[in-house]
Amino acid sequence: MKEREDWTEIIEAKSSFDFDLGELFRHRDLLFLFVKRDFAATYKQTVLGPAWFFIQPLLTTIVFTIIFGKIAGISTEGYPKIIFYLSGIVLWSYFAECLTRTSTVFKDNESILGKVYFPRIIMPLSIVASSLVKFGIQFLLFLIIWTYYFFKANTIHPSAYLLISPFLILLMGALGLGAGLIISALTTRYRDLVFVITFGVQLLMFITPVIYPLSAANSNFKLLIYLNPITPIIETFRYVFIGAGNMNLLNLGYSLLVTLLILILGIFLFNRVEKNFMDSI
Amino acid sequence: MESVIKIEELGKLYQLGTIGTGTLSRDMEKWWARMRGKEDPFLKLGEINDRTKSQNENFVWALKDVSFEVKKGEVLGIIGRNGAGKSTLLKLLSKVTKPSVGRIKVKGKIASLLEVGTGFHPELTGRENVFLNGAIMGMARFEIQSKFDQIIEFAGVERYIDTPVKRYSSGMYVRLAFAVAAFLEPEILIIDEVLAVGDAEFQKRCLGRIKEVSESDGRTILFVSHNLGSIHTLCTKALWLDKGTVKQIGTPGEVIKSYNQTTIENAGEFVRDKDPGNKPLWFERIYITDWKNEKKSIFLHDEDIFIHYEIGNNLSWSDNPYNLFCTILDENGQRIFSAESEVLKDNKTVLKIKGNMLVRGNYSLETFIHKPMVVQVDKLKEVCLFNIVDNGSALNIHGDYDYGRVFGNFEWKYDN
C-alpha cells in the first residue's frame, strides 16, 4: 500500500520523559475553567461565601496571638503580634494548600482523569492558580492591616526589598507544587501517605518560623529549621514587610535551588505516573 | 480511502499483583519475603483470573496483538462480551492510559465520549458547564462560543441555561451533556454506550446526529455498544473482540451473525466460579432444560422451556424478604418480559416458559435477587443464552422478516 505516513499522533508504550509546553498552552482555557469550577464548588453552598477567605486567616491569627503570644509567651521580637503572625500564616497557608491539594490530585479527579485525556499537569497547575487567587485575597487582608501599622509610628519597619515579594510568593507556590507532585506520584502507589500528609504539614509548620522568629528557634532543632527551604522564604517575607528577622541572599539562593530541584523531580515523577495511574487507582 | 487510525500489535498488560497491593505495608512484606528468599506472598493473586494469561500468572493481557485499520468516514462498531477488552481499547485510543506494547497511529484530532458529562459540576450553570465540558474534551473557547446556540438548541434547555445543573432533571442533564459532545468537531469520535441514556425520542436524535456527522462531514466514529441493533443500523463496519483479541472484522451483518452463533455454542448454563463473598443469597447455578429435564440450549418454538435455579444462601430464613427476578432478553439486549418469585428455603426453583411464546431467535437471561426497592444482592446479565427455532408456526413463511419477539395472544373475528 502506498500511503503517506503523515500521522498526526502516535500513541505507544514509550516511557521517555515528554513535557509538551505547546500542548499545555493550547489547554490554557481549561486551566482557567478549572480554577473557576474550584471557586464555585467551594463557596456556592456556604452562607458567607468568599468571606471565608478573610475569616480563616483572621481566626487563626487571633488564636495564635492568644495561645503562642499571650499564653506561651513566644517572642515576636517586639513587633506587633497580629501582623507578625498574619504575615507568616498567609504565606504558609498558600504553601500548605498547594501541597495538600496537589498531593491528592489523582484521587480527587479520578472520574475526569479516567474518562478523557488532557495534559494531566493542568490539574495541579489549576490548584496552584486557584490557591494563588485565594492567597491574593488573604494578602489583601494582610495589606490592609499592614497599612494600619505602617502609619502607626514605630511599630514596623518595611524595607525597600519589598519589591522582591512576588518572587517569594512564586517560590512558595513552586515549592508547594513540586512537593505536592512528588507526593501525588507516590500516593498512587501508597495510599497510606494521604493520611500522613495533613499531619506532616503540621509538623513541617513547626520547623518553619511561622509562629516564632528565627532568632527564637530552639537550638535542638536549629539545624532542621535552617535546612528547611521554606525558612528563608518566610523570614525574608517578614523582613521586607515588617522588618523582623533578617534577609540573607545566600539562604534565599539555597531555597531557590531546593525549590527548583523539588519542582523538577516532581514534574518528572508526575510525568511517569500520569500515564498509567488509572490502572492502579 | 485513507486510513485515519492504524493499530499495530497493540497490547495492554494489567498487573494484578500491584492492584492488590498499593500499600506501603504490603510492599514491605513483599520486600521482607524477598530478603528471606521466600516467594512473594502476593504473587498468587493472578491465578483466579481466567483471562488470557501471559507466562507469568501475575499478569493479564486485557488486549493482545490487536491490529486493524479504520478508514476515513467509517463508523466502526465494536462488539464483544464483558471483559473482552472493549473498554480497554477505547481507553488506549482516548489516551486515558498507555499501551504496554504496540502502537496506535492517528490522523486528526480524537475526542472520546466514554461517558457524557465528564467534569460537569452541579453547582455551575448549564452555560458554564458547556464551556468546562467542551474545554475538557479539547475544544478551544472560541469553538464552543461559535457552536453554543446550536448546542443549547439541540439539548432543548434554552430556558434553563443559566440555572445550576443540579436543578436539572436527569433527562435535561444528559441531553445537555450529549449535545456538547455531538457538536465537538474532532476528526475521530469515540463513543461508548452513551445511547443507553435519555428518552427514546432523544436517543433517536442522537443516532441521527451520529449518522449525519459521519455521512456529511466524513468524520470517523468508533462506537461500542451492547445493542447489536444500533450497531447494525449505524455502523459501516464491525469489529468483534474476544478475550482481548480481534475475532472478526467485517460488515456489521456478518460479524453480528457469527457473534450470535458462537454465543449460542457455549450457552445454556451459568455456574458460579467466584466466591460469592458476603452476599446473603447468590446464584450457584442456572441451567435450562426441556420437559424431559434434559439440558439444552436450542428449543423449538412450541416447546416448553424450564429455567432451573440453584441458589446458595447464608440466611437464617426466619423471615426471608428476598425475591428472585428474571427477565428474558432478546439478542439486542432488549427486555421481553419478566417474572418474579419469592426465594424459598431448600427449594430448587424452576421457571417454566410455555411454548408458543417466543419467536425464533437468540435469547438470554438477566436475573437478580433483591429486596424489592431496597437492595440487589446478586445480579447476572446476559447469561444462559438459548436459541429458539421455528418449527412451522403460522409466521414461519415470512422467513427473516422481523415480526416481533413474541407470538401474540389473539384471535381474529369475522363479522358479516
Side-chain angles (χ1 to χ4, degrees):
Chain A
M1 197 188 333
K2 276 195 80 179
E3 194 179 339
R4 274 183 52 224
E5 297 278 314
D6 51 353
W7 305 103
T8 51
E9 186 164 18
I10 296 178
I11 305 168
E12 58 187 338
K14 57 179 174 202
S15 57
S16 61
F17 180 79
D18 57 324
F19 190 68
D20 188 347
L21 275 174
E23 193 184 28
L24 206 59
F25 184 71
R26 280 194 300 280
H27 284 83
R28 62 193 183 283
D29 288 339
L30 188 58
L31 187 108
F32 170 73
L33 286 162
F34 275 140
V35 173
K36 203 169 148 193
R37 185 187 72 143
D38 224 33
F39 275 81
T42 327
Y43 291 103
K44 268 201 182 168
Q45 287 282 36
T46 57
V47 181
L48 293 175
W52 279 111
F53 287 136
F54 286 104
I55 298 168
Q56 269 172 355
L58 266 185
L59 281 180
T60 324
T61 305
I62 292 167
V63 169
F64 281 6
T65 308
I66 294 169
I67 295 179
F68 298 113
K70 295 267 155 61
I71 300 174
I74 296 173
S75 140
T76 54
E77 290 185 334
Y79 291 93
K81 289 191 168 55
I82 300 271
I83 198 78
F84 184 90
Y85 289 130
L86 194 61
S87 62
I89 290 164
V90 165
L91 197 57
W92 171 261
S93 21
Y94 176 48
F95 168 78
E97 176 150 324
C98 287
L99 175 66
T100 40
R101 291 193 44 217
T102 309
S103 63
T104 51
V105 67
F106 283 120
K107 221 175 108 261
D108 296 346
N109 298 288
E110 196 183 336
S111 61
I112 298 181
L113 298 174
K115 302 275 157 41
V116 273
Y117 173 81
F118 50 84
R120 298 330 196 181
I121 196 93
I122 290 272
M123 216 87 214
L125 284 178
S126 78
I127 291 172
V128 174
S130 83
S131 306
L132 185 65
V133 177
K134 191 173 158 188
F135 168 80
I137 298 169
Q138 296 181 345
F139 186 62
L140 203 68
L141 170 80
F142 169 77
L143 282 183
I144 293 167
I145 296 175
W146 178 78
T147 316
Y148 165 78
Y149 282 107
F150 185 74
F151 287 110
K152 202 173 163 207
N154 249 340
T155 45
I156 52 173
H157 313 95
S159 111
Y161 288 111
L162 254 180
L163 293 171
I164 69 158
S165 53
F167 167 74
L168 297 174
I169 294 159
L170 191 75
L171 211 56
M172 212 57 170
L175 194 57
L177 174 69
L181 287 177
I182 295 176
I183 295 161
S184 74
L186 293 176
T187 43
T188 59
R189 192 163 167 77
Y190 304 119
R191 288 287 178 87
D192 317 40
L193 271 176
V194 177
F195 304 105
V196 183
I197 288 301
T198 357
F199 184 62
V201 168
Q202 250 167 34
L203 279 186
L204 190 59
M205 192 179 96
F206 290 116
I207 58 160
T208 309
V210 177
I211 48 165
Y212 54 84
L214 190 56
S215 57
N218 186 314
S219 55
N220 291 333
F221 294 104
K222 213 151 197 161
L223 183 68
L224 220 56
I225 295 167
Y226 273 104
L227 280 178
N228 179 355
I230 313 165
T231 302
I233 306 178
I234 297 224
E235 268 299 289
T236 312
F237 186 78
R238 211 170 252 152
Y239 174 76
V240 299
F241 274 98
I242 60 179
N246 57 40
M247 183 173 147
N248 184 329
L249 281 179
L250 203 65
N251 289 350
L252 215 51
Y254 164 75
S255 283
L256 178 65
L257 191 72
V258 175
T259 302
L260 283 178
L261 283 178
I262 288 182
L263 190 60
I264 290 167
L265 182 68
I267 291 173
F268 177 76
L269 284 177
F270 187 85
N271 199 278
R272 262 185 58 152
V273 167
E274 65 167 8
K275 288 165 190 153
N276 286 311
F277 86 96
M278 273 320 296
D279 306 342
S280 60
I281 211 151
Chain B
M1 270 293 185
E2 56 164 351
S3 296
V4 286
I5 301 178
K6 190 173 182 184
I7 294 183
E8 297 171 345
E9 287 145 22
L10 190 69
K12 175 75 186 174
L13 192 64
Y14 280 107
Q15 196 181 351
L16 293 173
T18 47
I19 293 171
T21 63
T23 65
L24 191 57
S25 65
R26 289 205 188 168
D27 267 14
M28 301 271 267
E29 267 183 71
K30 273 173 100 161
W31 173 79
W32 180 235
R34 256 209 319 273
M35 289 305 283
R36 290 175 301 165
K38 294 220 172 126
E39 176 185 327
D40 185 340
F42 297 99
L43 214 61
K44 297 176 196 103
L45 281 169
E47 289 166 14
I48 47 167
N49 198 301
D50 60 350
R51 288 190 187 180
T52 325
K53 293 166 188 157
S54 71
Q55 306 92 314
N56 190 334
E57 299 283 304
N58 203 24
F59 294 92
V60 167
W61 287 99
L63 275 183
K64 201 178 182 194
D65 286 335
V66 172
S67 303
F68 63 90
E69 277 181 49
V70 186
K71 304 234 181 306
K72 194 171 179 221
E74 270 183 345
V75 183
L76 178 74
I78 301 171
I79 58 175
R81 246 176 292 163
N82 289 335
K86 304 186 297 280
S87 314
T88 308
L89 179 60
L90 294 199
K91 275 189 179 158
L92 293 179
L93 276 164
S94 51
K95 295 205 285 184
V96 169
T97 183
K98 289 264 162 179
S100 310
V101 291
R103 63 204 58 77
I104 303 170
K105 294 175 177 172
V106 181
K107 222 172 276 178
K109 207 160 122 190
I110 295 192
S112 62
L113 250 178
L114 298 196
E115 194 174 275
V116 289
T118 308
F120 261 43
H121 197 284
E123 296 289 348
L124 296 177
T125 66
R127 183 189 304 275
E128 288 165 332
N129 269 313
V130 167
F131 280 96
L132 177 62
N133 190 232
I136 287 178
M137 297 204 276
M139 274 200 274
R141 197 175 172 77
F142 67 88
E143 279 179 82
I144 308 168
Q145 196 83 61
S146 68
K147 292 191 192 108
F148 189 76
D149 293 337
Q150 279 174 285
I151 293 174
I152 301 308
E153 198 200 333
F154 186 81
V157 294
E158 293 95 332
R159 283 183 54 205
Y160 306 98
I161 196 60
D162 289 311
T163 310
V165 294
K166 67 175 173 185
R167 310 234 183 277
Y168 282 28
S169 72
S170 56
M172 282 162 63
Y173 186 95
V174 168
R175 288 206 301 273
L176 183 64
F178 185 85
V180 183
F183 286 91
L184 280 172
E185 299 207 331
E187 281 87 1
I188 301 158
L189 184 61
I190 300 174
I191 306 177
D192 185 14
E193 301 275 1
V194 276
L195 302 171
V197 289
D199 51 63
E201 188 250 357
F202 184 70
Q203 280 191 22
K204 248 167 89 184
R205 260 167 59 205
C206 295
L207 292 174
R209 173 79 197 162
I210 291 177
K211 241 189 146 76
E212 186 190 307
V213 160
S214 66
E215 279 165 9
S216 63
D217 311 359
R219 268 188 274 161
T220 313
I221 297 177
L222 269 70
F223 180 55
V224 166
S225 178
H226 276 292
N227 188 331
L228 298 178
S230 47
I231 297 259
H232 201 107
T233 48
L234 280 176
C235 302
T236 55
K237 203 172 173 187
L239 173 83
W240 172 16
L241 277 181
D242 188 42
K243 290 176 190 148
T245 55
V246 178
K247 189 103 172 178
Q248 196 183 357
I249 185 161
T251 67
E254 277 168 28
V255 176
I256 289 174
K257 205 173 150 194
S258 43
Y259 174 72
N260 275 332
Q261 259 160 20
T262 34
T263 41
I264 277 304
E265 276 163 23
N266 42 27
E269 186 170 5
F270 164 82
V271 182
R272 173 166 295 280
D273 53 357
K274 276 183 280 189
D275 186 346
N278 50 5
K279 289 176 179 143
L281 285 157
W282 63 89
F283 295 113
E284 200 62 62
R285 181 166 174 240
I286 306 168
Y287 60 99
I288 305 180
T289 68
D290 61 11
W291 61 279
K292 287 177 288 190
N293 237 345
E294 239 169 66
K295 255 175 63 184
K296 61 182 193 180
S297 62
I298 297 175
F299 294 86
L300 301 177
H301 78 277
D302 53 358
E303 212 176 350
D304 295 344
I305 300 168
F306 296 83
I307 300 168
H308 298 251
Y309 277 97
E310 287 175 15
I311 294 171
N313 76 80
N314 252 329
L315 283 182
S316 49
W317 293 100
S318 53
D319 179 26
N320 172 36
Y322 290 99
N323 278 2
L324 168 65
F325 199 94
C326 175
T327 306
I328 309 291
L329 308 176
D330 74 1
E331 59 198 31
N332 295 332
Q334 302 284 357
R335 294 176 181 142
I336 313 292
F337 67 90
S338 302
E340 186 170 18
S341 152
E342 264 179 70
V343 181
L344 298 177
K345 192 190 177 188
D346 296 332
N347 248 352
K348 287 195 175 173
T349 308
V350 180
L351 172 64
K352 174 182 170 185
I353 299 170
K354 291 180 187 156
N356 283 314
M357 165 80 202
L358 297 167
V359 306
R360 43 118 185 84
N362 298 320
Y363 297 90
S364 66
L365 304 183
E366 178 178 84
T367 187
F368 52 84
I369 300 170
H370 69 152
K371 259 186 209 175
M373 317 300 286
V374 180
V375 68
Q376 276 186 2
V377 294
D378 197 7
K379 181 173 183 175
L380 300 170
K381 216 184 159 193
E382 292 178 44
V383 292
C384 295
L385 301 115
F386 61 95
N387 179 266
I388 290 184
V389 178
D390 199 309
N391 186 29
S393 73
L395 294 166
N396 193 22
I397 52 165
H398 299 296
D400 279 344
Y401 181 75
D402 181 5
Y403 43 76
R405 291 288 169 267
V406 291
F407 292 110
N409 188 3
F410 61 85
E411 58 187 69
W412 294 102
K413 285 210 169 169
Y414 307 96
D415 290 336
N416 277 331

